[in-house]
Amino acid sequence: MRANGNLVEVRGLRVAGHRPGEPDTTIVHDIDFDIARGEVLALIGESGSGKTTIALSLMGHARGGCRITGGSIRVGDTDVRALSAKGLAALRGRKVAYIAQSAAAAFNPSRTIMDQVIESALIHGTLGKRAAQAKAIELFRALALPEPETIGRRYPHQVSGGQLQRLMAAMALITDPELVIFDEPTTALDVTTQIDVLQAFKRVIRQYGMTAVYVSHDLAVVAQMADRIVVLSDGQIREAGATEQILHAPAHPYTQSLVAAVTPVASEATATLEASQTSAPLLEVRRLTAGYGRKDTKGWPAKVILNEVDLVIRRGQTVGVIGESGSGKTTIAKVIAGLVPIAGGSLLLDGEPLAGDLNRRTREQFRRIQIVFQNADTALNPVHTVERTLARPLKFYHGMKGEAARRRVAELLELVRLPAALAQRRTGELSGGQKQRVNLARALAAEPDLILCDEVTSALDTVVGAAILDLLRDLQKKLGVSYLFITHDIAKVRAISDDIVVLYAGRCIETGDRDALSAPPYHPYSHLLVSSAPELRAGWLDEASERCHQTLAPIGSSADDPELCTFLARCPMRIDGVCNRTAPTPRTLANGAQVLCHRGEDELERYQILPLADGTTADASSPRVTVQQQ
C-alpha cells in the first residue's frame, strides 16, 4: 500500500484528438484526481465531456484518433505512461479491468460463457483452468446469477441482458484486479433489471473491497454506487466532492443543471388538448393482436407479441406507453406505422379503417403518421448532409425542391432548435442530441398528425434527454401534433404524457391519465416500475430489494397458462387458487385508472401506501417504508 492510501493518482492529464498532418485538438484538459484504496469514484457528465476518455487512460489506452499528450497516471506503484506495449498488455485485465456498456458486444457468440469468463485468468497466468472455473462459479454466486454451477455452460444468447452484464463483471473480476472501471454498465437496461445489476455490483464491491471508477451520465445511479463524484464537461473538471455534497449542495451551475434534469418537470395541459377530449379520436387501436414468424392456418403468427391491446390518441395529445423490454412497446409503434402486419383487431385513423399492410396505404396516410426511432445513428445515413436528409421527405410528400426546399430546411432546423449552418454538415459528424433533433425534423418535414416516438431519449444523456422532452412539448404547442411516446422510464412518461398505457408481456395491464398514475394505488406491475426508478439520494438501492424485488412463494403450475395474468410469476400480491386459476377482468379505480387485476382497490392501496411511524402515510417506494409479503 502506498503511504498516502491512494491507489490511483492522476496529475495534469491531457488527451488530444490527432489526425496526421494536422495540429492536435485537446479534448481533455489538465485533469487531476486521486482514488483511495477501497473507494468508488464516479466520473459523470454528458456525451463528449471526456469521462470515458479519462477512464480509459487509466489503462494507458486512448481511443482511435486520440492520444494521451501530457500528465502522469499512477495505479499503485505502476507509472502507466511509462509502460511499453508489453507492459500495458500485462496491466489490462490483470491490474486494471474494464466493464463496458454493451455486454453483448463483449462476448463471442460461438464460445461458452465459462470459456470466456476464465480466459483472462489463463492469459495472465493467475489461475489454472480448474481453479479459474471454481473462482468463476464463486463470482457467479456473488453476482446473484441463476444456477451458478451450470450457467457457464450456456452461450451468450441463452441468457438475458441483465445476466450478461453481470457475467461481464465476473469476466473482469476473475483476476482480482486492483482497479475496476465500470463504463455506463446499466444504461441499456430496463429499470427493473438495472436494480438487480446495480445490487450485484455493489455486493461484490463490498465483498471484495474493490477500488472502482464508475462512469455514468445518470446522477441517480451514481448516488447508489459512488463515495465521491467528479463532474465533467468539455473535458474539464467542473466540480468534485463527496456524493452527498454533489447531490444536495452542488456548487457549479453545470452540476446544478445535472441535478435538475434527473426528474423532468411535467407539462401542463393546454387548452388545445382540453378541447380535443370531446372530439373524435385521431387514432384508435382496437383489440390489436400482432407478432412475428410464420402464420398458422388461423392467421396467427408463431410468436404473438401483442394480445388484444386497445389504445386511443386524440389530436394534440400525448399517449405514453411504458413497459420493460419485450413488453410489446415498439411492436405497437411498428404496427401503427405499417411495419408489422396485424394478426387481429383493427386500426382507425379519423374513424376510417387504416390498413395494417403497408402496401395498401396511401401516400397521404404515410404522411400523416411518422416514426422517430430510438437510435438516430442507425436511422440516419452518416454520409448524407442534414439538408439532403430533410429534403427527401419534402420532395416525396410535398413536391418541394430547389430554393423552396432550402428555405423549408432552414425552418425545420429552427423548429428543432438547430443552427441553419448545420444544414451542410454530414449527419455522422453530429452529436447524439443533434442527430435525434435531425431525426425529429425529418418526421416534421411530412407535416404529420401523429409522431411515434420510440425510446427517443433512452440513448441520450440526462440533460440532452430533458432538452428533447422540452422540444417535443414546445412543438406540440406550436403545431398541435400528437405523440405516441414509448419509454421504460416512469419519470419521462409522466413528464410528457396526458394518458399512460402500461404494457406487460403484450397485454395492457393498466391505463389512466397522468394524474392517476402519479400516486397509488397501481397495478402491481406499475408499482414495480415506479419503485424501481432510482431516487436522487444515497442509500436508496440498499432498500430497493425490500420494496420491489422480493423472493416469491411457489404457486401452482398453471401459472404458465397464457389466458391467466401475464404478471403472475412475478406478482407479490398474487392469490393462490385465484390468480393461477382464473383470468383477471378489468376494474376501474376511483382515480379513473383501469387495471387488469384480481385485487381490489383497497387491497392495492393497503399494499402500496403504508403507515409511517409518525402516523402519516407514504407510497411504498418511499425510503421509509418496507413492504411486507402478503
Side-chain angles (χ1 to χ4, degrees):
M1 181 179 290
R2 305 183 70 188
N4 62 6
N6 290 333
L7 175 67
V8 176
E9 292 183 356
V10 175
R11 296 289 181 271
L13 174 65
R14 294 190 302 278
V15 181
H18 176 73
R19 290 183 179 179
E22 297 182 14
D24 287 350
T25 302
T26 301
I27 56 177
V28 168
H29 305 263
D30 299 311
I31 299 297
D32 296 336
F33 64 86
D34 301 325
I35 309 175
R37 289 183 181 272
E39 181 180 52
V40 179
L41 178 75
L43 302 178
I44 190 162
E46 299 172 75
S47 294
S49 63
K51 54 188 186 295
T52 294
T53 300
I54 293 168
L56 290 173
S57 72
L58 302 178
M59 305 172 69
H61 177 70
R63 291 187 283 193
C66 298
R67 65 180 183 182
I68 300 171
T69 57
S72 64
I73 305 165
R74 297 194 69 86
V75 178
D77 296 323
T78 302
D79 181 350
V80 174
R81 293 206 64 206
L83 293 175
S84 63
K86 184 177 180 180
L88 287 172
L91 174 85
R92 297 166 185 167
R94 174 63 187 94
K95 194 164 188 172
V96 182
Y98 179 73
I99 299 173
Q101 179 174 343
S102 174
F107 281 85
N108 185 332
S110 66
R111 298 177 61 203
T112 66
I113 287 166
M114 179 61 82
D115 284 348
Q116 297 180 73
V117 167
I118 68 172
E119 184 176 33
S120 182
L122 301 183
I123 289 173
H124 290 285
T126 59
L127 294 168
K129 185 173 183 178
R130 186 163 295 180
Q133 289 173 337
K135 176 70 177 292
I137 292 171
E138 176 189 322
L139 286 167
F140 296 161
R141 192 172 288 110
L143 289 162
L145 284 157
E147 302 174 355
E149 288 79 13
T150 59
I151 194 171
R153 300 173 195 166
R154 302 183 198 174
Y155 289 85
H157 70 276
Q158 294 176 316
V159 299
S160 70
Q163 290 168 358
L164 203 59
Q165 205 72 30
R166 283 177 277 168
L167 287 163
M168 185 165 57
M171 185 191 300
L173 300 176
I174 193 76
T175 59
D176 292 323
E178 293 185 54
L179 177 68
V180 181
I181 299 168
F182 295 85
D183 190 1
E184 300 267 18
T186 65
T187 297
L189 303 177
D190 297 319
V191 288
T192 51
T193 307
Q194 178 177 253
I195 281 187
D196 293 333
V197 174
L198 288 175
Q199 286 177 331
F201 287 168
K202 193 157 191 175
R203 188 182 304 113
V204 296
I205 286 172
R206 287 171 173 169
Q207 182 173 335
Y208 293 96
M210 289 164 40
T211 306
V213 173
Y214 199 97
V215 177
S216 180
H217 66 262
D218 191 331
L219 260 179
V221 167
V222 163
Q224 314 314 316
M225 303 298 295
D227 301 301
R228 287 192 303 119
I229 298 174
V230 171
V231 181
L232 298 154
S233 71
D234 299 322
Q236 299 180 59
I237 294 178
R238 302 302 179 185
E239 186 170 358
T243 297
E244 286 293 323
Q245 179 263 306
I246 295 292
L247 296 180
H248 302 297
H252 194 278
Y254 177 70
T255 311
Q256 293 166 3
S257 73
L258 287 179
V259 173
V262 171
T263 306
V265 178
S267 59
E268 295 182 2
T270 64
T272 302
L273 172 63
E274 291 165 358
S276 75
Q277 299 301 322
T278 57
S279 64
L282 171 64
L283 182 85
E284 290 182 82
V285 176
R286 294 181 177 175
R287 302 185 69 80
L288 177 66
T289 299
Y292 301 92
R294 182 174 295 179
K295 294 184 179 179
D296 61 21
T297 54
K298 296 181 179 179
W300 294 99
K303 177 67 174 177
V304 175
I305 303 297
L306 299 173
N307 200 328
E308 297 190 343
V309 170
D310 293 320
L311 185 147
V312 175
I313 305 174
R314 301 183 186 278
R315 291 186 179 278
Q317 183 189 36
T318 299
V319 173
V321 179
I322 188 167
E324 296 167 298
S325 295
S327 63
K329 306 185 303 293
T330 294
T331 302
I332 282 185
K334 288 183 175 180
V335 170
I336 294 172
L339 301 176
V340 171
I342 295 174
S346 61
L347 301 174
L348 298 177
L349 183 63
D350 273 338
E352 298 294 326
L354 179 67
D357 185 348
L358 194 68
N359 296 320
R360 292 166 51 205
R361 293 190 184 181
T362 66
R363 183 175 299 194
E364 176 65 4
Q365 289 172 331
F366 290 154
R367 182 194 68 78
R368 296 185 65 190
I369 300 175
Q370 296 290 307
I371 187 167
V372 178
F373 292 102
Q374 175 179 355
N375 192 339
D377 284 322
T378 56
L380 299 172
N381 189 323
V383 301
H384 287 179
T385 64
V386 171
E387 183 175 79
R388 182 177 178 184
T389 300
L390 300 184
R392 293 187 68 186
L394 292 176
K395 183 179 180 181
F396 182 78
Y397 291 116
H398 308 296
M400 196 179 292
K401 53 187 178 181
E403 185 58 31
R406 280 190 287 275
R407 285 196 302 269
R408 182 57 179 157
V409 166
E411 291 171 358
L412 288 167
L413 291 176
E414 184 178 2
L415 267 178
V416 297
R417 304 176 191 170
L418 288 174
L422 224 61
Q424 302 310 315
R425 295 270 300 276
R426 288 188 175 92
T427 61
E429 299 171 349
L430 306 181
S431 70
Q434 289 173 330
K435 288 175 184 175
Q436 200 61 292
R437 288 172 189 264
V438 171
N439 212 11
L440 183 57
R442 181 171 60 181
L444 291 170
E447 299 180 14
D449 296 316
L450 172 64
I451 299 180
L452 311 170
C453 301
D454 185 11
E455 297 272 17
V456 294
T457 63
S458 65
L460 303 176
D461 299 322
T462 307
V463 172
V464 178
I468 293 294
L469 286 183
D470 182 60
L471 173 62
L472 289 171
R473 290 189 291 238
D474 182 56
L475 290 169
Q476 189 168 63
K477 290 178 183 177
K478 289 179 179 176
L479 307 175
V481 66
S482 300
Y483 300 126
L484 182 74
F485 188 84
I486 292 168
T487 184
H488 64 261
D489 188 320
I490 190 69
K492 288 174 183 173
V493 82
R494 283 171 171 170
I496 196 170
S497 302
D498 303 296
D499 289 341
I500 299 173
V501 174
V502 183
L503 279 187
Y504 184 77
R507 287 188 182 271
C508 177
I509 54 92
E510 181 163 8
T511 59
D513 63 25
R514 179 177 60 208
D515 291 338
L517 276 89
S518 293
Y522 312 108
H523 185 282
Y525 176 63
S526 303
H527 177 240
L528 173 63
L529 292 177
V530 171
S531 299
S532 298
E535 296 177 10
L536 194 62
R537 61 180 183 84
W540 173 88
L541 182 64
D542 295 329
E543 301 151 4
S545 60
E546 295 183 28
R547 288 197 304 274
C548 52
H549 283 232
Q550 305 161 338
T551 301
L552 302 179
I555 198 163
S557 59
S558 56
D560 294 329
D561 188 332
E563 296 302 317
L564 298 178
C565 173
T566 54
F567 190 56
L568 177 61
R570 298 170 66 188
C571 182
M573 295 189 69
R574 63 196 187 187
I575 309 166
D576 200 356
V578 177
C579 297
N580 54 335
R581 293 185 182 177
T582 309
T585 56
R587 65 172 71 237
T588 302
L589 306 181
N591 59 17
Q594 190 174 73
V595 299
L596 194 64
C597 187
H598 286 290
R599 291 284 189 178
E601 182 165 0
D602 290 344
E603 294 173 294
L604 293 172
E605 195 156 12
R606 280 198 302 272
Y607 183 81
Q608 295 164 7
I609 304 180
L610 299 177
L612 301 177
D614 59 7
T616 61
T617 59
D619 181 343
S621 62
S622 160
R624 303 169 65 188
V625 174
T626 300
V627 174
Q628 300 299 324
Q629 190 82 17
Q630 293 198 1

